[in-house]
Amino acid sequence: MQIEIYFRSNMKVGSVANLRMIRNAIGVAHAVMKYTEHTLLVGSLATDFAVSMGFPKTNLSTAHSVRMYEDWRGSNCQPNFWQNVVPDPKTSCGPYSPELEVAPRSFRSEKIIPSGDSHLQRLKKRNAQSDYQHDTIGMLAIDSTGNIAGGTSTNGANHKIPGRVGDSPLAGSGAYVDKEVGGAAATGDGDIMMRFLPSFHAVELLRNGKTPSEAARDAILRISRYYPTFSGAVIVLNMTGHFGAACHGLLSFPYTVMSPEFNETQIFSIDCV
């Protein structure tokens, strides 16, 4: 499954989610923007749309991904995203059903999983932080005429519940641009980050006079106040070509920049807040 978003200076957006068997997902998102009046297409019908636009179906499974899935099933489907269900999702692959309520709803206390026990946090408990990986690609670009565009591409969280949509295809969450001030893109624990629209927030902070680095940091800190153990990062670019980034829950965050000021692509790395 691939998820994409594509922004342009005229505030048009093309996005697809739960797209299967299509390799060039960002191209499909562009086709949504160019050939329809819609913003977001999802699921099997998004795949049908892609095929109608000339994108070939392709089996995206690899020997590595099949082995990962088999290993996960062999480990009782650990980790996963289920909670408040039976059988115990920490020891079983399901199928799951809701826990029986033993008290009237008005008196029942909901069990809440702490933010520190998110799927990504459980993954990091199993793997050293230096091995933490993500597959989201976020890009921001300004051309010589002052047009700005942004896009994100991701396969989504490993072992997600079928039907899950993350932050990448949501306008203002995965990416956002406004030719008056600049753009931003985000990556990380999407189920948390999408609740805060960090890319939109960062762009609005630019509008209010913040530098790109300040805007990225403030957008990240807003999330960490509610979820102090979340993992994620935001990159920000303003219309004068200045850039910045901020991250949380990782040792550091590398990103690349190409500019007329550089002879070649430069790699920057920041320590996380």
Side-chain angles (χ1 to χ4, degrees), residues 115-116 121 189 192-193 195-196 198 201 216-234 246-250 272-273:
S115 60
Q121 293 300 322
D189 193 341
I192 289 176
M193 298 182 75
R195 304 168 191 174
F196 296 87
H201 185 204
R217 180 182 175 88
D218 286 1
I220 285 290
L221 289 177
R222 180 169 179 250
I223 303 172
S224 68
R225 285 198 294 271
Y226 292 88
Y227 295 93
T229 57
F230 97 98
S231 298
V234 175
C247 57
H248 186 273
L250 305 168
C272 295
V273 295

Side-chain angles (χ1 to χ4, degrees), residues 34-56:
K34 185 175 181 180
Y35 300 116
T36 83
E37 296 181 5
H38 298 314
T39 294
L40 172 64
L41 298 182
V42 301
S44 62
L45 297 180
T47 300
D48 291 346
F49 169 81
V51 172
S52 74
M53 292 290 102
F55 296 90

Side-chain angles (χ1 to χ4, degrees), residues 10 41 54 122 137 141 147 158 166 175 197 200 208 219 237-238 245 251 266 272:
N10 56 7
L41 298 182
R122 294 197 300 274
I137 298 173
N147 293 310
N158 287 342
L197 299 178
F200 174 79
N208 290 329
L237 175 70
N238 68 17
L251 293 177
Q266 300 292 310
C272 295

Side-chain angles (χ1 to χ4, degrees), residues 62-94:
T62 65
H64 176 68
S65 66
V66 171
R67 186 168 59 252
M68 283 181 59
Y69 175 75
E70 292 173 346
D71 290 346
W72 177 71
R73 292 286 300 184
S75 301
N76 293 323
C77 301
Q78 301 303 307
N80 61 61
F81 289 89
W82 292 93
Q83 62 176 336
N84 302 330
V85 294
V86 291
D88 186 351
K90 291 187 172 67
T91 60
S92 171
C93 289

Side-chain angles (χ1 to χ4, degrees), residues 201-222:
H201 185 204
V203 171
E204 291 307 300
L205 290 169
L206 290 179
R207 195 186 311 278
N208 290 329
K210 296 283 188 177
T211 67
S213 294
E214 291 170 341
R217 180 182 175 88
D218 286 1
I220 285 290
L221 289 177
R222 180 169 179 250

